[in-house]
Amino acid sequence: EILDATASAGFGFVIALLALTAIPFVGLSTPFGVAIAFVGAQLLIGRTRPWLPGWIRRVALSASALTRIARWLNRGTGWMSHLVRERLGPLTGGPALGLVGLGLVVLGVGLALPLPIPGSNLVFIIPVLMYAIGLLERDGLMMLVGHVMALAHVVLAIAAWQVVSAALAPLARWVGIS
């Protein structure tokens, strides 16, 4: 019911819930990354509300659970209430949501990678949260920050690929793989 009532902001709710849940699960980020990429793909193809499997949609939260979640979120995000507001409207709807979806797919795939680096979850979760906040509050600036961070991830991944492939090139020649 919450997702249906919130329309496109429901994407922000689902994404924030997935990202915040992934933080404490070091080493188990793969299912959360896949789920974030799945939700991002829905934005990318133009869905206006997130689709979730029936067994997830049937999960009911009690009023007391929702109150606890709201208190926890308020404690954790209260400091940023003066930073977040509705702005840069063209970046918060229409075709711009497809770009948000693309960013979420890229970040979700990155989060799903089993990287053996402590704290690597946060590198992907922070821009995901920027997108979630932007979707929830219709804050185009937060979405723009998410775009910049996602683009930085792509640039770093390309650079890392270049370094690794250059380092492995002599080995590939030695083994006979060109």
Side-chain angles (χ1 to χ4, degrees):
E1 290 174 8
I2 292 171
L3 292 177
D4 292 335
T6 57
S8 66
F11 282 105
F13 177 78
V14 171
I15 294 162
L17 185 62
L18 289 168
L20 291 171
T21 305
I23 291 173
F25 293 108
V26 176
L28 296 175
S29 60
T30 299
F32 295 104
V34 170
I36 288 169
F38 177 70
V39 174
Q42 292 180 48
L43 270 170
L44 183 60
I45 64 170
R47 287 194 58 88
T48 56
R49 282 185 275 167
W51 177 87
L52 297 172
W55 62 273
I56 292 176
R57 290 185 69 84
R58 286 189 292 275
V59 171
L61 295 175
S62 67
S64 63
L66 287 173
T67 302
R68 281 194 309 272
I69 292 169
R71 272 195 220 121
W72 181 72
L73 285 174
N74 192 36
R75 246 191 334 260
T77 60
W79 62 271
M80 67 196 296
S81 62
H82 67 283
L83 298 174
V84 178
R85 64 181 175 278
E86 191 172 322
R87 59 185 156 196
L88 300 176
L91 296 179
T92 65
L97 291 178
L99 191 54
V100 171
L102 179 61
L104 287 167
V105 168
V106 167
L107 293 166
V109 168
L111 183 60
L113 294 174
L115 300 175
I117 304 166
S120 63
N121 285 7
L122 286 177
V123 172
F124 295 101
I125 290 173
I126 290 171
V128 167
L129 287 173
M130 294 297 107
Y131 281 136
I133 292 166
L135 288 165
L136 282 167
E137 299 295 329
R138 301 191 52 78
D139 189 339
L141 183 59
M142 289 294 157
M143 289 185 185
L144 192 57
V145 169
H147 291 323
V148 169
M149 294 174 92
L151 183 60
H153 280 77
V154 169
V155 169
L156 289 173
I158 291 170
W161 178 260
Q162 293 294 323
V163 168
V164 169
S165 63
L168 293 177
L171 178 63
R173 281 192 300 274
W174 183 72
V175 175
I177 303 170
S178 295

